[in-house]
Amino acid sequence: MYGFSKFYSKFYKYPLPILLLSLWLVAVFLLSDRPAHSQHPVIFTNKEKYQSTLLAKRIMPSTLTENVRKTVLENGLTVLTKEVHTAPVVTVQVWYKVGSRNEEPGVNGIAHQLEHMMFKGTKNRPIQFGRLFSALGSDSNAFTSYDQTAYYGTVERNKLKALLVLEADRMRNSQIEPEQLASEKRVVISELQGYENSPEYRLNRAVMQAVFPNHAYGLPVGGTKADVEKFEVEQVEKYYRNFYSPDNAVLVIVGDFQTANALETIKEVFGKLPKKVRSEELGVRSEELEVSSKNTFTPSTSLSTPIVLREPGAGRLLQVVYLLPDANQPDVPALDVMDYILTEGRNSRLYQALVESGLASELTASVTSLRESGWYELLVTAGAKQDLKKIDSMLSSAIANVAEKGVTSEEVERAKTQLTADVILSNRDITSQAIRLGTDETTVGDYRYTDRYLAAVRLVKPTDVVAVINKYLTKEARTVGFFEPTQKRITEVADKPDSAQTTENFSPGVPVLFSEVIKYLPSADLATDAIAQVLPQEFKLTNGLRILLLPDRSTPTVTLSGYIQAGTEFDPENKAGLAAFVADNLLNGTKSKDVLTIAKVLGERGVSLDFQTYREGVHIEGDSLADDLPILLEILADVVKNSTFPSKELELHRQQTLTDLQQELDEPSEVARRVFVQSIYPKKHPLHTFPTEESLQQIQRQDVIDFKAKHYRPDTTVLALVGDFDLDKVRSLIKNKLGDWEVSGQAPTLKYPPVAMPQKIVSVNPVLPDKTQAVTYMGYTGINRYDPRFHAALVLNQILGGDTLSSRLGAEVRDRQGLSYGIYSSFQAGKNVGTFLIEMQTSPEDSSKAIASTRQILQQIHQQGVTALEVETAKRTLISNYNVSLANPEELTDRILMNEVYGLNKVELHSFTDKIQKVTLAQVNQAARELLHPDQIVVVTAGPSVLAEKSIR
């Protein structure tokens, strides 16, 4: 769903923060579907594990911008175009040079609120724009950050003009209606309540306010509930008129188009939009747009004592923030190199001092460099029973030690390698390339910034790193925050039959006729471009290992995706978490390499390798530059064949996992997921078991060794590689490295017992005191990947809840009633029968009504079916989104992999769209009758205690 850029994200670790594109994602595997007990997502970092080497002669000096053309129209619109002809897709992004930086207390969050309103329709198209984007088949979203607000859509190339028409329309003609603003304010408040559920968010907000007491960077990007509640139509309209104009915007287009033709279309569509007269009568700061003169500030002085939050939560947290210069200052590259040396990987200085010592369970960090200032922040999750003051003292001592003794040339070169690899590997798909250009142009005023930055990184020396530590990481510059959790208890209200849900004031019916959607859709050739029918090469080793290879010379990189049939479904009941224990410790030592040696080998070449455990398997993720593929395969082969699971590392991991578990059970989404799954699947079922403190303590080293020996087998393993390589050389390399992986006996098998549908509506309410947002899971058992209704179910789901704006659920529950920030449905179908699931996030007081509305929509579709136009629109959306996904190396590799895992023919890669196209209205309505059961459904809502008082049923 559209939202705002989180102050930290686990994606970038170099200067300009990645902008969060989507806050709610559906997992690839079964409802598990998130990794089991891997490092759960922490919202406090700015890194995306960079994975390659910095050798100047191995990369193009202007990789990112060598084909970029900048054009400025007469009305001031800046246009950046970059032709990339690797796939028939194109991304269109409009960036406005306004964000939370242009706010002040009292109107905090108005940029974010307007971003939401920009989807509500225009004078010319009084219809939810999400429905138009969906009908067009566009993967569209938006985000608000400190310095900018951006809107993006990625489509097949023949729909370029249609996207441009829609973006030009809402730049000029958006309408802010009172009823829609009231509804969307509820949605934004629900979103903010979701962030308030996180102790990390609350601690960061307190610390940042202290760091920037007189500057908007100290305000939360999304705003506060108190300010959002006060927004008036006139106020938001003035903000729109003042900041949304061509001369304050950057249009970025990357993909498969001809520049000359595209520029003519842009001039035709955007050129007629006038510059706007600035209103100085805003309830916001109305400084000049290019340089906000009122935003000059004096850095805050360090607080003599830490900020301490004593609130409900699960783990102790330490946050330290240091003020840094803005993005254009010459120290930024050295600061980023410093950050990698301090915190990136097992060999980093602070990881060794805090995590390896057992003081901390987790350490994350980021350098944020923005238009007017920057900061360096570290977030430490304390180990069990560890004191935050002691951790803070050790942190300060470790940094002081680096400043005193210096860093080695080897450390600096490794950090530079990882930084440059990050840039290369995070810019392989066209959407990411456009985001990079848009961020650079709107933050520092130069789309070539990253190229200059990379050149400066290459010149960083050890003395430069020490110099920036001494200059910026001083006692006077630091602000410290402690989060000390108070005790809390989870209670449950369970097994309540539904008796009153359908009494809510809800009018069934399609909110907007799909004929209306088509009427407002810009003219476009909706025929789908033919995708080149390139198929992976397939071969099998004598030990049963299956490999699929697809050469792709578009970038000098390789993506590896793998699968081992060793998921959590094989966990013993009394040792739940064992499968994840094995996968998470594979890289912790082999017969020939200890954990630090493995980390060093990968880090020096910038190679990434990770194992994540899901219900039905372990997923392998690897990336490297093309030249480094041998290293990636060498380490992969070594750990799957020769891992030794040292006792010290296992115990350290156990403590980290126990801390993670505590934090997970403080998250409404995780609690709702667990209770939901265990309410559907009975005890003794492979999906019923989840790790507990008791089960994790039961796991012994011999259990790990035995599980690995039993389940890690070449004949249950599949590898897929996409990238810049020679087929024969890679075949030979894989055979050499993995051909001697031995197998004995038959592979373990597992048969899921049948699970009956619930006979009534079962409602369960785990209560998490003092949470501000509720999370609801609704559903029951569904279908597997081989079900003949699978493709019809996908079309049905797209109509029901596949998109949070254009679907039936999204249009009614989220958009019209404003009850949920995000609501989605999915059929999670794997090799075994999966789960039909609806997930939503709501304010506690809105949960009952949202659940009632959802059930009535299910009832409506179950009884009345859907329309032919809905089916055709959903099919077009699914086909377009699928074709767009094939342009992303990671998604392409995963699709190749999972097709093989499911035993599908390799031509499924391209025949999938044909199967979707052949789905009929009758098939979808039959699936609705057979697969939607509104009166036999499990409903789990996790959140604050007010829910129990309202007796959600």
Side-chain angles (χ1 to χ4, degrees):
M1 192 38 236
Y2 46 81
F4 60 87
S5 165
K6 288 183 179 177
F7 35 89
Y8 303 91
S9 69
K10 208 161 189 173
F11 300 121
Y12 268 55
K13 198 177 172 86
Y14 79 104
L16 302 175
I18 184 64
L19 301 166
L20 188 64
L21 302 183
S22 179
L23 299 179
W24 302 101
L25 301 176
V26 177
V28 174
F29 289 78
L30 278 178
L31 175 67
S32 54
D33 318 60
R34 26 201 112 167
H37 272 287
S38 61
Q39 296 291 334
H40 71 279
V42 178
I43 59 178
F44 283 110
T45 116
N46 258 341
K47 61 171 92 171
E48 178 183 14
K49 300 286 184 184
Y50 298 127
Q51 310 130 346
S52 190
T53 62
L54 171 65
L55 296 177
K57 60 186 177 183
R58 295 175 60 200
I59 63 172
M60 296 297 292
S62 300
T63 301
L64 299 180
T65 62
E66 59 184 347
N67 296 323
V68 177
R69 176 171 172 179
K70 181 175 181 177
T71 306
V72 180
L73 304 189
E74 290 184 4
N75 60 7
L77 178 68
T78 298
V79 181
L80 301 177
T81 55
K82 180 180 181 181
E83 294 185 28
V84 179
H85 300 290
T86 55
V89 296
V90 62
T91 188
V92 173
Q93 302 184 3
V94 178
W95 294 67
Y96 295 95
K97 302 174 191 176
V98 59
S100 63
R101 175 180 60 85
N102 304 88
E103 299 171 358
E104 61 186 15
V107 289
N108 181 206
I110 195 168
H112 178 224
Q113 183 69 62
L114 177 58
E115 173 225 306
H116 278 242
M117 298 307 299
M118 288 288 283
F119 284 82
K120 289 295 189 178
T122 66
K123 298 173 185 176
N124 302 325
R125 295 178 174 84
I127 187 174
Q128 164 57 254
F129 264 46
R131 294 170 207 157
L132 297 177
F133 291 133
S134 180
L136 200 60
S138 174
D139 179 12
S140 296
N141 217 318
F143 47 79
T144 303
S145 192
Y146 295 98
D147 292 333
Q148 58 274 111
T149 305
Y151 304 82
Y152 77 90
T154 304
V155 293
E156 295 149 315
R157 63 187 173 195
N158 53 318
K159 299 164 187 174
L160 170 60
K161 183 174 180 179
L163 268 188
L164 292 171
V165 168
L166 291 176
E167 291 297 352
D169 189 19
R170 63 177 174 176
M171 178 183 285
R172 174 67 173 170
N173 302 310
S174 288
Q175 295 190 110
I176 315 295
E177 300 290 348
E179 183 178 348
Q180 291 181 336
L181 178 61
S183 171
E184 204 63 27
K185 282 163 61 175
R186 293 179 72 179
V187 170
V188 169
I189 288 169
S190 173
E191 178 183 354
L192 297 179
Q193 288 172 327
Y195 299 125
E196 289 288 345
N197 277 352
S198 165
E200 291 96 332
Y201 177 88
R202 302 198 301 273
L203 179 62
N204 175 262
R205 193 173 74 171
V207 172
M208 291 300 289
Q209 286 175 339
V211 174
F212 293 100
N214 303 308
H215 191 276
Y217 286 160
L219 302 174
V221 174
T224 63
K225 179 181 178 182
D227 283 358
V228 170
E229 286 176 334
K230 293 183 293 187
F231 291 153
E232 301 291 342
V233 169
E234 182 182 12
Q235 195 176 27
V236 180
E237 281 181 337
K238 285 181 178 180
Y239 196 91
Y240 170 64
R241 291 197 302 269
N242 194 68
F243 291 110
Y244 278 56
S245 61
D247 48 318
N248 192 45
V250 176
L251 172 65
V252 185
I253 305 177
V254 177
D256 191 14
F257 61 90
Q258 298 299 320
T259 301
N261 295 339
L263 286 175
E264 286 302 313
T265 302
I266 291 167
K267 290 174 183 177
E268 172 193 342
V269 174
F270 282 90
K272 57 190 176 186
L273 301 183
K275 294 182 178 181
K276 293 184 181 177
V277 178
R278 304 296 171 205
S279 168
E280 298 299 326
E281 301 175 357
L282 293 174
V284 295
R285 301 214 316 251
S286 53
E287 63 271 7
E288 293 182 10
L289 297 176
E290 292 305 318
V291 180
S292 52
S293 58
K294 291 185 181 180
N295 269 343
T296 56
F297 64 94
T298 302
S300 64
T301 56
S302 172
L303 299 177
S304 57
T305 58
I307 298 166
V308 180
L309 296 186
R310 290 186 174 89
E311 299 174 355
R316 293 182 176 86
L317 302 172
L318 163 69
Q319 183 164 40
V320 181
V321 176
Y322 297 87
L323 269 174
L324 299 181
D326 64 77
N328 267 317
Q329 299 306 309
D331 286 336
V332 169
L335 285 163
D336 287 309
V337 174
M338 171 206 76
D339 177 35
Y340 268 81
I341 292 171
L342 291 180
T343 67
E344 178 66 16
R346 297 289 292 264
N347 289 292
S348 64
R349 297 295 189 93
L350 297 184
Y351 191 96
Q352 285 289 310
L354 299 176
V355 181
E356 291 289 348
S357 68
L359 284 174
S361 171
E362 188 171 8
L363 165 70
T364 57
S366 65
V367 172
T368 299
S369 304
L370 299 180
R371 184 188 183 102
E372 294 180 356
S373 183
W375 56 89
Y376 183 47
E377 50 198 323
L378 300 115
L379 181 75
V380 183
T381 303
K385 301 179 181 179
Q386 296 295 336
D387 181 69
L388 290 177
K389 291 182 180 179
K390 181 179 179 181
I391 295 173
D392 186 32
S393 176
M394 181 61 73
L395 173 67
S396 297
S397 297
I399 292 174
N401 185 60
V402 177
E404 179 183 350
K405 297 184 178 179
V407 297
T408 66
S409 296
E410 180 185 12
E411 287 177 302
V412 172
E413 291 307 309
R414 183 165 60 240
K416 289 157 64 172
T417 291
Q418 293 168 323
L419 270 172
T420 304
D422 174 23
V423 180
I424 296 172
L425 288 168
S426 64
N427 283 280
R428 288 183 291 177
D429 65 280
I430 62 170
T431 301
S432 298
Q433 291 178 45
I435 287 175
R436 186 75 263 141
L437 295 171
T439 302
D440 287 350
E441 184 70 19
T442 55
T443 303
V444 299
D446 182 6
Y447 71 89
R448 297 162 298 188
Y449 174 84
T450 299
D451 286 338
R452 292 191 285 108
Y453 166 81
L454 287 176
V457 165
R458 296 182 195 123
L459 302 177
V460 172
K461 302 183 296 294
T463 52
D464 299 325
V465 174
V466 174
V468 294
I469 292 176
N470 286 321
K471 184 175 181 180
Y472 296 107
L473 271 58
T474 64
K475 182 179 180 180
E476 294 73 28
R478 71 197 301 260
T479 302
V480 179
F482 289 172
F483 181 85
E484 295 279 6
T486 56
Q487 293 296 317
K488 65 183 305 176
R489 183 169 53 91
I490 298 176
T491 60
E492 288 189 11
V493 179
D495 283 350
K496 291 191 174 181
D498 183 10
S499 60
Q501 260 203 347
T502 56
T503 63
E504 296 286 353
N505 181 20
F506 169 68
S507 302
V510 182
V512 175
L513 293 175
F514 274 75
S515 57
E516 291 290 291
V517 176
I518 301 302
K519 180 173 76 174
Y520 292 118
L521 200 65
S523 59
D525 176 12
L526 295 180
T528 302
D529 276 315
I531 305 295
Q533 300 291 303
V534 180
L535 295 174
Q537 297 293 309
E538 189 175 358
F539 72 100
K540 186 175 181 179
L541 299 185
T542 55
N543 60 10
L545 177 67
R546 290 168 285 165
I547 301 101
L548 298 105
L549 304 175
L550 183 61
D552 176 7
R553 310 287 184 182
S554 59
T555 64
T557 63
V558 177
T559 298
L560 179 149
S561 189
Y563 171 95
I564 304 173
Q565 191 175 313
T568 61
E569 62 187 7
F570 289 110
D571 276 349
E573 183 179 2
N574 65 333
K575 296 179 181 178
L578 176 57
F581 239 68
V582 175
D584 292 345
N585 283 278
L586 286 171
L587 291 165
N588 284 346
T590 66
K591 295 175 182 177
S592 60
K593 302 178 185 69
D594 64 16
V595 59
L596 295 182
T597 302
I598 292 173
K600 181 179 179 182
V601 170
L602 294 173
E604 284 178 343
R605 305 297 288 179
V607 176
S608 78
L609 180 61
D610 187 36
F611 297 84
Q612 294 186 330
T613 311
Y614 297 86
R615 289 290 182 190
E616 288 192 345
V618 172
H619 192 206
I620 307 168
E621 298 175 355
D623 289 284
S624 73
L625 282 189
D627 289 350
D628 296 325
L629 179 58
I631 293 172
L632 172 58
L633 290 173
E634 177 186 343
I635 297 297
L636 171 62
D638 192 21
V639 299
V640 297
K641 292 189 298 183
N642 304 313
S643 51
T644 55
F645 305 108
S647 297
K648 176 186 174 184
E649 300 300 334
L650 282 178
E651 288 310 309
L652 181 63
H653 176 74
R654 189 195 311 274
Q655 296 308 312
Q656 293 170 343
T657 303
L658 288 168
T659 302
D660 287 346
L661 177 62
Q662 283 186 323
Q663 294 181 322
E664 287 174 8
L665 295 180
D666 185 51
E667 298 174 3
S669 60
E670 177 62 23
V671 172
R673 183 175 75 94
R674 282 181 170 234
V675 175
F676 173 74
V677 170
Q678 293 185 327
S679 298
I680 293 175
Y681 300 104
K683 291 182 179 180
K684 306 298 183 182
H685 191 283
L687 298 186
H688 183 87
T689 305
F690 282 88
T692 64
E693 181 177 350
E694 292 74 21
S695 72
L696 293 172
Q697 294 286 12
Q698 289 290 324
I699 296 172
Q700 303 300 311
R701 179 170 180 265
Q702 192 60 48
D703 298 323
V704 175
I705 293 171
D706 292 345
F707 187 98
K708 161 70 166 46
K710 182 177 181 181
H711 295 284
Y712 279 66
R713 307 165 52 97
D715 54 344
T716 64
T717 300
V718 183
L719 297 179
L721 287 85
V722 174
D724 186 8
F725 53 74
D726 177 88
L727 277 170
D728 292 335
K729 289 181 179 178
V730 172
R731 277 198 198 97
S732 176
L733 186 62
I734 293 175
K735 185 176 181 180
N736 178 261
K737 297 295 183 183
L738 289 161
D740 62 348
W741 187 5
E742 296 180 354
V743 59
S744 61
Q746 294 297 311
T749 58
L750 190 66
K751 186 175 181 180
Y752 283 24
V755 176
M757 291 285 294
Q759 295 304 304
K760 60 181 181 180
I761 295 169
V762 177
S763 182
V764 187
N765 176 204
V767 176
L768 283 76
D770 301 299
K771 294 298 182 184
T772 55
Q773 186 194 59
V775 176
T776 296
Y777 275 39
M778 305 172 63
Y780 38 76
T781 55
I783 60 176
N784 63 28
R785 179 61 180 83
Y786 314 106
D787 194 296
R789 300 166 296 184
F790 174 73
H791 296 93
L794 291 182
V795 176
L796 171 64
N797 183 72
Q798 182 65 27
I799 296 167
L800 172 65
D803 182 276
T804 200
L805 291 179
S806 64
S807 65
R808 290 272 192 105
L809 289 174
E812 178 63 32
V813 179
R814 187 225 174 276
D815 196 47
R816 189 179 77 82
Q817 297 189 60
L819 300 177
S820 173
Y821 168 60
I823 182 167
Y824 303 89
S825 65
S826 61
F827 286 93
Q828 299 173 325
K831 291 193 292 184
N832 294 287
V833 170
T835 309
F836 169 69
L837 168 69
I838 297 172
E839 179 184 2
M840 70 179 88
Q841 305 86 35
T842 61
S843 296
E845 60 271 18
D846 290 334
S847 297
S848 290
K849 189 173 183 180
I851 293 168
S853 296
T854 298
R855 282 196 50 239
Q856 217 160 18
I857 289 172
L858 288 173
Q859 189 73 48
Q860 179 190 90
I861 296 180
H862 172 75
Q863 293 177 345
Q864 302 173 19
V866 298
T867 68
L869 195 51
E870 283 180 298
V871 170
E872 290 307 309
T873 301
K875 285 158 58 174
R876 187 162 58 237
T877 300
L878 289 169
I879 290 170
S880 181
N881 288 344
Y882 183 84
N883 288 337
V884 167
S885 75
L886 296 185
N888 183 300
E890 284 82 5
E891 292 190 52
L892 172 61
T893 312
D894 280 343
R895 290 188 186 278
I896 292 171
L897 173 77
M898 295 313 295
N899 284 344
E900 177 66 24
V901 169
Y902 293 142
L904 305 173
N905 192 298
K906 64 181 180 180
V907 300
E908 176 72 15
L909 186 65
H910 298 295
S911 64
F912 173 83
T913 54
D914 294 333
K915 293 176 182 178
I916 292 293
Q917 186 58 52
K918 291 176 181 176
V919 171
T920 66
L921 172 63
Q923 290 172 331
V924 175
N925 283 335
Q926 181 180 353
R929 290 190 297 271
E930 295 175 356
L931 299 177
L932 300 185
H933 306 286
D935 296 323
Q936 295 175 277
I937 194 167
V938 172
V939 182
V940 176
T941 302
S945 57
V946 65
L947 295 168
E949 296 166 13
K950 296 177 78 72
S951 296
I952 292 181
R953 299 185 252 182

